[in-house]
Amino acid sequence: MSDNAKIRIENATKVFDVYIREDEENAGNKGKVRHVKKTKLSAVKGVTLTVQKGEVVLVIGPSGSGKSTLLRCINRLENLTSGTIWVDDMCVTDPKVDIRRVREEVGMVFQSFNLFPHVNALRNIALAPVVVKGAEKKLANEKARELLKRVGLADKENSYPAQLSGGQQQRVAIARALAMDPHVMLFDEPTSALDPEMIKEVLDVMLSLADEGMTMFVVSHEMGFAKAAAKRVIFMDDGEIVEEGTPDSIFNNPAKERTQRFLKHIL
Amino acid sequence: MADRIPTSDGTLIPEKKARDIFSAWKIAFFGAIGLLIFLPIYSPDPFARILLFLPDGILRTFQVTVFSILLALVIGLVAGLGRISRVRIVNRIATVYVEVIRGIPLLVQIFYIYYALGRIVKIPDIASAIIAMAVCYGAYLAEIIRAGIQSVPKGQMEAALALGFSRRKAMQHIILPQTIKITLPPIGNEFIALLKDSSLVSILAVSDLLRRGREFASRTFEYFETLTIVALVYLVLTLFFSWIVGKMEERLSRDVR
């Protein structure tokens, strides 16, 4: 392993318990016996990958391919069933690790923004530094203003999330994650809930982040972003990595038939 | 006036007009106030005397209600958080508390806590009445608060955790502030219910509105007149608070946040 590895995922698997309710005719007794059947669903099946410092990795794949689950395991919003994940020198999958330290280093942006609706944009950004890191409120607010300027929303500090458009909300959400000074940013389909017109403003912010050398792990189908910023594109299907390579090789010349079929649908 | 209320075929309940002069609430509220003013003037002999006898009781009813709801909120918050706790024992204790309390009539509980407390410590009647009311209403409030917490989208807790919040801090800074908005109207309704149920404490030598009324009536034997006034006073109080709850709901639904 090189010393530059930011995220190391080794042989990660995630199995969900799924409960299926089914009614069954009971022969002895008239009437139905209701019982719940427990089955297992493998979302991630032995994935190994490394993200280098400053690298932008884009994960694509059909829904249900386990890409979001894999991303959510990196900051332990989901627990892996087996395998290990390292962020820097912290083993995320070790139960004894201080997961809050990992999460301070790893920023996350959600598909549905998840801004805090009860506070304004500025407070959304400044809240975590104050509460989690014990930063001084005045300094945190100043920094939040700078971040708002950086994502092009300097005039929106007093707006509440409901008063912002989807694109604006997502940009505030990015600023909120950046306020914790993360070394790694996770993006879970950041533009999937947005109108086409708003996608660009979010991607521009992400591009500028990539230019500054942020390590980024992005689950998204935004090909333009991939071509402009990503060094590597990973295609996942059914919990496994099917193919990985440069954006050019994956999008223009996929080697595997499964990848070709998928790309035909999103192009 | 039209002989039927014009509604579209899809409407099950006639729509509320913005400025309805004869709304049901107004008829009840101003009717009650009108009677409370008219009766003592028209026939001051029993009614004015009754009305002058009651203020102490109204104050006591208020006291019991306000202190009970405050204590019940504390109990309800603790039990509500207990109901969603991932620590099994805490969860069980909170759930058993809610189930037991909700399964016993309030009147029985008031008697029970009054006499049980009386065996252990010597406290004033009004204090044991307040504790009894609070223990009971705490269970109902716990369910409201639990539902309120669970109605906050899962993504909120996830966003907070992803930023490095502990679960406790996320609860305190992110989830509970949002819960307050959602639960305020149902808590207001519990307050009104408690105001009415507070009449039960009149059996515990607490001179609340109902008991003052009964004291007056047992001396003068004017039961009908006294209870009329008592009922009207309760009606005015509860309608007044339901108006406040309605305003609260209106504001919250208009609020962009």
Side-chain angles (χ1 to χ4, degrees):
Chain A
M1 287 292 157
S2 96
D3 284 327
N4 261 340
K6 265 287 173 194
I7 306 173
R8 276 174 15 225
I9 302 174
E10 279 160 25
N11 209 15
T13 64
K14 172 70 187 174
V15 182
F16 287 107
D17 288 331
V18 185
Y19 296 90
I20 301 167
R21 171 163 284 175
E22 49 182 40
D23 293 331
E24 200 180 45
E25 293 290 337
N26 189 328
N29 275 313
K30 273 186 188 163
K32 279 179 176 172
V33 175
R34 171 165 279 180
H35 69 182
V36 176
K37 207 171 129 191
K38 186 171 149 186
T39 55
K40 303 229 176 264
L41 179 93
S42 292
V44 180
K45 302 171 183 167
V47 168
T48 298
L49 71 89
T50 306
V51 182
Q52 303 294 334
K53 186 164 187 278
E55 196 181 20
V56 177
V57 172
L58 191 87
V59 183
I60 59 172
S63 63
S65 61
K67 51 196 193 313
S68 282
T69 305
L70 181 67
L71 180 139
R72 289 161 59 83
C73 287
I74 294 173
N75 64 354
R76 218 162 84 185
L77 285 184
E78 306 278 0
N79 276 302
L80 274 188
T81 308
S82 71
T84 48
I85 295 180
W86 294 78
V87 172
D88 283 333
D89 56 347
M90 294 178 285
C91 181
V92 180
T93 40
D94 178 358
K96 281 183 298 232
V97 78
D98 183 2
I99 190 64
R100 294 204 320 252
R101 255 194 65 218
V102 178
R103 287 170 178 162
E104 282 177 35
E105 296 228 343
V106 180
M108 180 164 179
V109 174
F110 298 83
Q111 178 178 359
S112 48
F113 328 133
N114 294 348
L115 288 183
F116 306 133
H118 61 298
V119 290
N120 63 23
L122 191 78
R123 287 283 289 156
N124 258 287
I125 300 167
L127 195 60
V130 171
V131 174
V132 178
K133 282 189 169 169
E136 214 177 300
K137 202 169 166 179
K138 222 177 111 195
L139 291 177
N141 281 347
E142 261 168 46
K143 192 172 167 200
R145 274 192 199 99
E146 264 169 48
L147 284 165
L148 273 175
K149 207 155 109 195
R150 185 164 154 196
V151 297
L153 293 170
D155 55 332
K156 295 290 184 191
E157 64 173 75
N158 291 319
S159 302
Y160 284 85
Q163 297 167 317
L164 299 172
S165 73
Q168 290 170 334
Q169 286 189 53
Q170 192 61 299
R171 283 187 280 158
V172 173
I174 294 173
R176 177 177 72 174
L178 291 176
M180 294 298 284
D181 296 318
H183 299 162
V184 178
M185 285 286 282
L186 308 176
F187 290 85
D188 188 5
E189 310 207 24
T191 54
S192 302
L194 296 176
D195 288 342
E197 287 179 326
M198 292 168 184
I199 289 176
K200 188 175 174 296
E201 62 191 50
V202 172
L203 289 182
D204 283 346
V205 172
M206 289 171 65
L207 278 174
S208 77
L209 260 184
D211 283 344
E212 287 161 32
M214 176 66 80
T215 310
M216 291 162 74
F217 189 88
V218 185
V219 170
S220 172
H221 295 155
E222 292 300 333
M223 232 168 287
F225 174 77
K227 282 174 183 159
K231 231 167 86 188
R232 211 149 36 107
V233 173
I234 294 172
F235 174 63
M236 275 182 80
D237 186 30
D238 199 22
E240 288 167 331
I241 293 179
V242 176
E243 191 173 352
E244 63 176 289
T246 62
D248 187 52
S249 70
I250 294 282
F251 289 128
N252 299 333
N253 256 311
K256 300 264 170 59
E257 185 270 336
R258 180 69 190 93
T259 317
Q260 292 164 7
R261 234 186 324 136
F262 175 73
L263 288 171
K264 216 180 282 168
H265 288 296
I266 66 165
L267 281 176
Chain B
M1 209 166 122
D3 56 344
R4 64 184 276 275
I5 303 166
T7 55
S8 84
D9 287 350
T11 319
L12 289 177
I13 298 171
E15 205 175 312
K16 203 172 131 194
K17 283 273 158 50
R19 299 188 62 207
D20 188 351
I21 300 166
F22 295 107
S23 76
W25 184 88
K26 280 179 181 163
I27 293 170
F29 184 73
F30 292 111
I33 292 225
L35 276 176
L36 278 178
I37 294 167
F38 169 76
L39 284 176
I41 292 169
Y42 174 73
S43 159
D45 184 14
F47 291 116
R49 275 188 297 124
I50 295 166
L51 211 51
L52 287 175
F53 192 78
L54 292 181
D56 285 358
I58 298 176
L59 205 68
R60 197 33 65 90
T61 289
F62 253 122
Q63 238 173 18
V64 171
T65 308
V66 170
F67 284 112
S68 301
I69 198 88
L70 289 179
L71 188 55
L73 272 172
V74 175
I75 297 173
L77 184 61
V78 172
L81 287 170
R83 289 273 280 130
I84 54 162
S85 170
R86 306 200 297 182
V87 182
R88 189 163 235 153
I89 306 171
V90 176
N91 195 311
R92 281 294 140 79
I93 292 172
T95 309
V96 167
Y97 160 69
V98 169
E99 292 298 337
V100 166
I101 295 298
R102 292 206 302 180
I104 300 173
L106 181 53
L107 186 54
V108 177
Q109 282 181 50
I110 288 174
F111 271 129
Y112 188 84
I113 292 176
Y114 179 73
Y115 287 113
L117 275 177
R119 283 205 165 184
I120 306 163
V121 281
K122 201 103 197 92
I123 50 171
D125 293 330
I126 183 162
S128 53
I130 287 171
I131 291 172
M133 300 288 291
V135 166
C136 172
Y137 270 78
Y140 293 97
L141 290 180
E143 284 302 274
I144 290 174
I145 289 168
R146 178 193 58 76
I149 290 171
Q150 288 179 335
S151 73
V152 175
K154 201 171 118 234
Q156 292 289 313
M157 178 56 97
E158 286 186 348
L161 290 180
L163 283 166
F165 282 75
S166 63
R167 292 188 80 84
R168 211 183 64 97
K169 288 235 165 104
M171 212 27 118
Q172 183 189 339
H173 292 277
I174 311 296
I175 309 297
L176 286 180
Q178 296 184 50
T179 310
I180 290 169
K181 281 182 115 58
I182 304 166
T183 52
L184 219 49
I187 287 175
N189 284 330
E190 288 301 304
F191 178 83
I192 293 166
L194 202 152
L195 178 69
K196 288 184 287 178
D197 283 349
S198 74
S199 62
L200 291 172
V201 304
S202 64
I203 54 164
L204 300 184
V206 176
S207 296
D208 77 329
L209 179 53
L210 177 59
R211 193 181 174 92
R212 287 290 279 179
R214 277 169 50 213
E215 279 169 13
F216 185 89
S218 63
R219 260 188 292 156
T220 60
F221 297 105
E222 288 155 339
Y223 279 96
F224 172 71
E225 292 84 351
T226 314
L227 286 174
T228 305
I229 296 293
V230 167
L232 285 173
V233 171
Y234 271 117
L235 188 61
V236 167
L237 288 177
T238 54
L239 286 171
F240 173 68
F241 284 110
S242 79
W243 175 73
I244 288 182
V245 172
K247 282 282 162 220
M248 229 152 57
E249 270 174 355
E250 220 174 88
R251 245 200 77 178
L252 291 180
S253 69
R254 228 188 310 134
D255 215 336
V256 289
R257 280 173 253 171

